[in-house]
Amino acid sequence: MSSLETSSERCQELAQSLAEIQDRARIAASSDAPTLVAVSKYKPASDILACYRLGQRDFGENYVQELVDKAGQLPDDIRWHFIGTLQSNKCKTLASIPNIYAVQTVASAKAATALNKSVPSERNPPLYIFLQVNTSGEDVKSGLPPLTSVESASESELVRLAKHVVTACPRLHLQGLMTIGSLGESLASFERGNQDFETLKRTRDVLHDVLRGSSGEWGMDGRLLLSMGMSSDFEAALKAGSDVVRVGTGIFGARVQKV
């Protein structure tokens, strides 16, 4: 992998940034071992390899083709998380990546079914998925509406999708819920708590109650995981009970937007 080598200065920069984020995550975490997903969108494979050599194993990508290209160049024990908008026609390509670990942005039965059909039958364990919830209500955000109560949950899109995955998608494993909160809540979260995070927690609790009465396996040890928090608010997310945080800029630095 000589073509993936990076400068000693860049390696040192990444080592310092990654260690700082890991330390901050450990201090803020309310759970014993939160998962830190290093979001490597637009960053070169050499940066990912440098972090891999420092022990980082979970990486997140927003674009299917970028993920395919990087996965083909990098170690096969990396755990890739897809965190971009999921299109059904891209599911076959995603599922073909041998070390795709989780798809965090499932928001429709059509996408779940396409993923389930595309996952190789011999794959073990199943492909982990998170259902995306739009906790902020912003039109620009993807995801399904959150849940407010068990009584109203039976008619919700989210419950129908969760039950579909658990009962009709044997090659998928419903691991948890994911959200991308609003910028306003992110900036205010240190002062009064993040309402988007609280909404996802409430939705998780309602969905727990609904799924306990149905057959099928889901979550981890009977508990749905929460994926919430990014570079600007991951500490607040961890304090609120997040199990997975997605940090890009905090580790790799600012991204250069592709034209």
Side-chain angles (χ1 to χ4, degrees), residues 116-154:
N116 184 67
K117 289 181 177 179
S118 302
V119 171
S121 59
E122 66 275 11
R123 180 186 170 98
N124 185 30
L127 177 62
Y128 295 121
I129 68 163
F130 289 71
L131 306 184
Q132 186 170 358
V133 180
N134 185 346
T135 52
S136 66
E138 296 170 286
D139 292 339
V140 295
K141 297 284 175 63
S142 300
L144 298 175
L147 305 177
T148 56
S149 68
V150 174
E151 290 73 25
S152 62
S154 61

Side-chain angles (χ1 to χ4, degrees), residues 1-193:
M1 294 188 182
S2 57
S3 62
L4 297 183
E5 299 300 329
T6 190
S7 68
S8 59
E9 291 82 4
R10 180 58 174 162
C11 287
Q12 184 177 9
E13 179 183 325
L14 288 168
Q16 291 174 343
S17 298
L18 181 60
E20 178 186 346
I21 295 296
Q22 289 171 334
D23 287 343
R24 288 167 59 187
R26 278 192 291 268
I27 292 170
S30 58
S31 62
D32 293 334
T35 297
L36 171 63
V37 176
V39 179
S40 45
K41 178 178 70 171
Y42 296 154
K43 293 299 179 179
S46 55
D47 277 5
I48 300 171
L49 183 60
C51 291
Y52 172 89
R53 288 173 173 167
L54 295 165
Q56 178 67 24
R57 290 294 180 270
D58 292 275
F59 293 90
E61 288 288 337
N62 290 65
Y63 301 106
V64 173
Q65 191 56 52
E66 189 172 357
L67 175 49
V68 169
D69 294 342
K70 289 175 178 177
Q73 301 176 67
L74 292 161
D76 58 10
D77 61 334
I78 283 177
R79 294 185 290 261
W80 291 107
H81 298 246
F82 183 72
I83 59 173
T85 301
L86 180 62
Q87 298 173 314
S88 298
N89 62 353
K90 298 290 186 180
C91 287
K92 186 175 182 179
T93 303
L94 261 183
S96 71
I97 301 170
N99 52 330
I100 183 75
Y101 180 77
V103 177
Q104 295 201 21
T105 49
V106 177
S108 72
K110 181 180 179 182
T113 299
L115 273 176
N116 184 67
K117 289 181 177 179
S118 302
V119 171
S121 59
E122 66 275 11
R123 180 186 170 98
N124 185 30
L127 177 62
Y128 295 121
I129 68 163
F130 289 71
L131 306 184
Q132 186 170 358
V133 180
N134 185 346
T135 52
S136 66
E138 296 170 286
D139 292 339
V140 295
K141 297 284 175 63
S142 300
L144 298 175
L147 305 177
T148 56
S149 68
V150 174
E151 290 73 25
S152 62
S154 61
E155 300 301 319
S156 75
E157 294 179 79
L158 183 60
V159 167
R160 288 198 297 269
L161 176 56
K163 288 185 175 181
H164 173 73
V165 172
V166 171
T167 61
C169 299
R171 297 177 188 176
L172 307 181
H173 182 85
L174 176 57
Q175 191 80 328
L177 304 177
M178 175 269 210
T179 196
I180 302 172
S182 69
L183 178 60
E185 286 300 318
S186 174
L187 297 174
S189 60
F190 288 100
E191 299 177 6
R192 59 169 174 75

